Structures are given as structure tokens and as C-alpha cells.
Amino acid sequence: AQSVTQPDIHITVSEGASLELRCNYSYGATPYLFWYVQSPGQGLQLLLKYFSGDTLVQGIKGFEAEFKRSQSSFNLRKPSVHWSDAAEYFCAVGERGGADGLTFGKGTHLIIQP
Amino acid sequence: KAGVTQTPRYLIKTRGQQVTLSCSPISGHRSVSWYQQTPGQGLQFLFEYFSETQRNKGNFPGRFSGRQFSNSRSEMNVSTLELGDSALYLCASSFSGEETQYFGPGTRLLVL
């Protein structure tokens, strides 16, 4: 069965500093990988996705992520965070066919210090 | 293009009642998935519908059911509500289920 691990429950970063959120997945085949962001009381907004090809993917709001098959990782990065980036971030894995739905990590709560 | 819409946004029910939640996918999307989000269990897959057929279901009791209409709109129903059903219920749509899923704002259900 597929699984996703986000080892950091909370991360605190100063505004303007760089950010890296970790995501490790367990999946037999080549996965589809996603990062979503959720603000309080809101639904999930897609930040970026990896299906195939270039392992460094660019997303919205200045985020990027790198797929590393050897490490089963898909870490999210941003060179300089803004106060508006404070939110909950979810990594998810899906499979070709998609009928089994996405499997999500538990999320990482990002706190931005002024 | 309008996003995924869910109604109602908030609901308060009492134990034993039943509830129906509605989801309208992005125009042209034929796949609708439902997820339950709770602080303890996180985001969990409920079921997925494509062309009015349920293709898969997550590990939830039979009290949770759904359907999809010919216009791809979907409803989910929870019967005999329990306190533990209090959650944010999220609907997501995609063109065929294989691509990116786009989420709605969710329906927050409180069971008293």
C-alpha cells in the first residue's frame, strides 16, 4: 500500500529565509506526486505536481520541488518565504488510473516569524 | 472557469441523523472524489465516481455512500451520524481521475 510521510509536524521560519519541507513516499511503481497548501478553514490549493520527466518542478507562489527516486522523496522548497506562506502543507501520492484516490501525508504546519 | 463548489459550507447535525453534501465539479471534469479531513486521521479517501459509477471506495463503513449524476455533480450521504463523523468533507474533481485533482472549499460538518 502506498504511504506518505511528512516528518515535520511544525516548522518555524523567519520571513525572508529559505524553506524546505520534507516528504517521503512509499509506492511500488512510479508515483504521481503533489504538494497542496491549505489555509485555515479553506480547501486544498495545488502548488505543484510531478508526473514524469524533469525531476525539478516549478509551482505557483515561487515554490519548487525535486523528485528523487533513489531517496523516495519529493521535498518542497522556496528560496524566500513571505508571511502569507503561513499555512498547512500536504504532500500526496497518486497512481496511474487515479481510482484509488490520493494518499496524503499528515501535513506540515508552517509558521512564519516576522 | 469556475472551480469546484460545495454546498452547504457548514452543517450542524445531531447523532443519529443523516446528512447529504453536494459537490459540483469543474466544467468538463467527469471524475469526483470525496475525502474526509479530521485532526486525528488527517485526509482520508472516501470514494471516487466517474461517469456515474463508483470506481473505488476507501476504508469507511457503509453509512457513507455517494452518487454521481449525469452532469457529473456528486452527492455524498452519511446516515446514522456519529460524533466521530465531525469533519471537513472535501470534494475534488479531475478530468478522468488520472490527472490532477482540484479541491473545493469543503463542507464542515459538526455532529452534536
Side-chain angles (χ1 to χ4, degrees), chain A residues 63-92:
Chain A
F63 286 93
E64 67 176 27
E66 187 171 12
F67 170 61
K68 293 185 177 180
R69 184 190 303 275
S70 61
Q71 299 177 20
S72 297
S73 69
F74 189 57
N75 294 348
L76 181 71
R77 300 193 294 251
K78 187 171 184 178
S80 176
V81 298
H82 185 261
W83 64 266
S84 60
D85 293 325
E88 192 84 16
Y89 291 79
F90 293 94
C91 181

Side-chain angles (χ1 to χ4, degrees), chain A residues 32 34 36 38 41 43-44 46 49 51 90 96-102 104 106, chain B residues 9 35 37 40-41 43 45 48 55-56 88 90 97-101 103-105:
Chain A
Y32 291 168
F34 306 86
Y36 287 89
Q38 185 178 37
L44 301 176
L46 177 71
K49 61 188 177 186
F51 281 9
F90 293 94
R96 185 174 294 277
D100 289 339
L102 296 176
F104 285 87
K106 293 294 188 184
Chain B
R9 293 293 310 279
Y35 294 83
Q37 185 179 25
Q41 299 299 316
L43 282 150
F45 171 69
E48 190 255 1
R55 294 198 294 188
N56 209 345
L88 180 67
L90 292 163
E98 186 165 331
E99 298 85 9
T100 305
Q101 294 185 22
F103 284 79

Side-chain angles (χ1 to χ4, degrees), chain B residues 12-106:
Chain B
I12 299 177
K13 293 287 187 179
T14 57
R15 280 179 297 175
Q17 288 186 311
Q18 75 167 16
V19 67
T20 299
L21 312 181
S22 180
C23 171
S24 293
I26 293 171
S27 177
H29 285 190
R30 296 168 62 191
S31 168
V32 173
S33 298
W34 289 89
Y35 294 83
Q36 181 196 64
Q37 185 179 25
T38 60
Q41 299 299 316
L43 282 150
Q44 294 183 286
F45 171 69
L46 279 158
F47 30 64
E48 190 255 1
Y49 285 87
F50 179 79
S51 293
E52 303 178 63
T53 300
Q54 184 183 93
R55 294 198 294 188
N56 209 345
K57 184 174 181 179
N59 189 26
F60 279 84
R63 299 185 298 107
F64 292 82
S65 63
R67 60 177 175 169
Q68 187 180 34
F69 302 95
S70 58
N71 62 358
S72 295
R73 190 178 69 85
S74 177
E75 291 181 344
M76 68 163 282
N77 183 275
V78 188
S79 63
T80 319
L81 284 165
E82 301 177 358
L83 296 179
D85 297 333
S86 295
L88 180 67
Y89 290 88
L90 292 163
C91 164
S93 78
S94 66
F95 182 71
S96 68
E98 186 165 331
E99 298 85 9
T100 305
Q101 294 185 22
Y102 295 91
F103 284 79

